Amino acid sequence: MRYRLSELGEKIGAELRGRDFEVEGISSLELAGERELSFVESRAWVAAARRSKAGALMVPPELAGEFPGRSLLICPNVRVALARVARLFFKPAHPAPGISPLAVIEEGADLEEGVSVGPWVFVGAGARIGEGSVLYPGVFVGAGARVGRRCVLYPYVVLYPGVRLADEVVVHAGTVIGADGFGYAQEIRRDGLRHLKIPHFGTVEIGPEVEIGANSCVDRATFGVTRVGAGSKIDNLTQIGHNVEIGEGCIIVAQCGLGGHARLGRYVMLGGQVGIAPGAEIGDGARVAAKSGISGKISPGEEVAGIPAIPARIWRRAAVAFAKLPDMVKDWRRLRTLLSGPEPDGGSK
């Protein structure tokens, strides 16, 4: 794939400054060559950009003057421009349409046109696979499940019976959607405590343009639906519990765990290893720092951190104070000695 700089500028709404030429690819500042495009997101990158061999740079307007004589694409938002340009050069090499003779397609399954089904794929009775979707080797699609158009299920993805995926969903290798939630009742008997499994009658619905990372799990609802909203992105090794509701456009970073019936509004962002207690609610646009623990309710737009989570501005001050505690304790002990005075026998406390 090759594009002239002027053509790229038109596609991403950027202003071209400097020489126009044909670009062969995009890369980092360190790796880019003379026929490639790179990018500068902040002033901290200026020195590396000046050393770079990249033929052209995408830069924000405030940094355009830092690179005299260079070909530039001046972008209002460099990271968005990067995403759009990279998609032009990156074309995933999915398998061609067709059904492998080693796949098992049960009677009553419906596969639309242009579907690619790899070896050792299983598609259960009554399941439907939408037009142009790709099922890599080892994928399991249970009876009655629904996969929308242009979805990609990477190797060994498991969709339990009745699970529903909308259009253009991407599910990475090893992810399981629709397993039972972790629901048990405790019964005390003469011979000890028993955990009685509560059957899960519900399902999972994944909205359009959702991407779910490798080895993640989205559990089916006890009753009703576990739901992931349109455009949300879920990283690797994440646990979504039964009856969780995730709004549209959320970002959930690796190793997060969402307990049953938790609610996330629209455009919520969770850092890595965040734990959400069952039934917790997080309002639209809230942000949660990595390793935080959430219970109760977080207001829309709030930024929180810590265990239990508190407003991030307070947590940052507390973190600074915590590092100073050993010296503060020493000072407090000295002050207590000075204020207490000598003991009656001439000693000190």
Side-chain angles (χ1 to χ4, degrees):
M1 302 295 294
R2 291 182 171 87
Y3 298 91
R4 296 194 69 80
L5 269 181
S6 54
E7 186 181 1
L8 292 176
E10 290 176 3
K11 288 180 179 293
I12 65 174
E15 174 193 348
L16 171 61
R17 183 177 299 178
R19 182 175 67 90
D20 190 11
F21 66 95
E22 195 172 66
V23 175
E24 297 177 354
I26 185 167
S27 191
S28 65
L29 292 171
E30 295 80 8
L31 300 177
E34 294 179 355
R35 307 294 297 182
E36 291 182 308
L37 177 66
S38 194
F39 53 98
V40 180
E41 290 195 65
S42 69
R43 188 166 295 276
W45 297 30
V46 169
R50 288 172 176 165
R51 295 192 300 268
S52 175
K53 296 179 180 179
L57 301 170
M58 293 186 292
V59 300
E62 64 272 18
L63 297 181
E66 299 288 341
F67 307 102
R70 298 286 289 269
S71 291
L72 305 176
L73 288 178
I74 302 172
C75 313
N77 187 319
V78 172
R79 193 156 189 83
V80 170
L82 167 63
R84 290 177 175 166
V85 170
R87 287 163 69 97
L88 294 173
F89 286 103
F90 179 76
K91 301 297 180 185
H94 294 311
I99 301 174
S100 169
L102 297 177
V104 175
I105 313 297
E106 288 198 329
E107 185 175 353
D110 179 16
L111 278 62
E112 296 182 359
E113 292 183 7
V115 167
S116 174
V117 178
W120 306 293
V121 168
F122 175 90
V123 180
R128 186 171 68 226
I129 311 299
E131 178 184 353
S133 288
V134 178
L135 278 57
Y136 274 80
V139 166
F140 176 95
V141 179
R146 298 289 184 266
V147 177
R149 294 173 297 177
R150 298 180 299 280
C151 292
V152 180
L153 276 56
Y154 284 99
Y156 302 106
V157 165
V158 173
L159 305 184
Y160 274 62
V163 165
R164 298 189 287 271
L165 274 58
D167 296 341
E168 299 184 14
V169 171
V170 177
V171 186
H172 288 276
T175 285
V176 177
I177 300 177
D180 286 351
F182 197 67
Y184 296 87
Q186 281 68 48
E187 180 182 35
I188 299 176
R189 300 179 180 178
R190 291 181 179 179
D191 57 348
L193 182 66
R194 296 295 180 90
H195 305 293
L196 302 180
K197 182 178 178 66
I198 299 173
H200 285 62
F201 296 89
T203 189
V204 178
E205 291 183 355
I206 307 296
E209 298 185 27
V210 168
E211 184 163 1
I212 302 177
N215 293 322
S216 293
C217 296
V218 184
D219 291 346
R220 71 173 54 247
T222 311
F223 302 100
V225 178
T226 300
R227 184 173 286 109
V228 179
S232 289
K233 312 299 181 185
I234 299 172
D235 201 358
N236 302 335
L237 297 167
T238 295
Q239 163 65 22
I240 310 296
H242 62 88
N243 292 93
V244 166
E245 293 273 352
I246 296 175
E248 66 177 279
C250 292
I251 291 287
I252 300 177
V253 183
Q255 298 184 353
C256 286
L258 281 67
H261 294 273
R263 297 287 186 272
L264 272 62
R266 303 162 67 220
Y267 311 118
V268 171
M269 301 184 74
L270 305 182
Q273 296 186 333
V274 166
I276 309 293
E281 297 183 15
I282 302 179
D284 293 352
R287 298 187 175 203
V288 182
K291 294 183 178 291
S292 296
I294 304 294
S295 60
K297 294 185 179 182
I298 302 298
S299 299
E302 191 168 5
E303 184 181 354
V304 299
I307 305 175
I310 58 176
R313 64 184 184 280
I314 298 175
W315 181 85
R316 284 190 285 265
R317 291 166 55 194
V320 172
F322 183 80
K324 297 178 179 178
L325 277 179
D327 291 335
M328 293 169 66
V329 169
K330 289 180 181 179
D331 292 342
W332 175 76
R333 286 173 175 166
R334 294 191 192 101
L335 181 61
R336 186 182 65 174
T337 300
L338 291 173
L339 293 176
S340 298
E343 295 286 348
D345 61 359
S348 61
K349 294 182 181 179

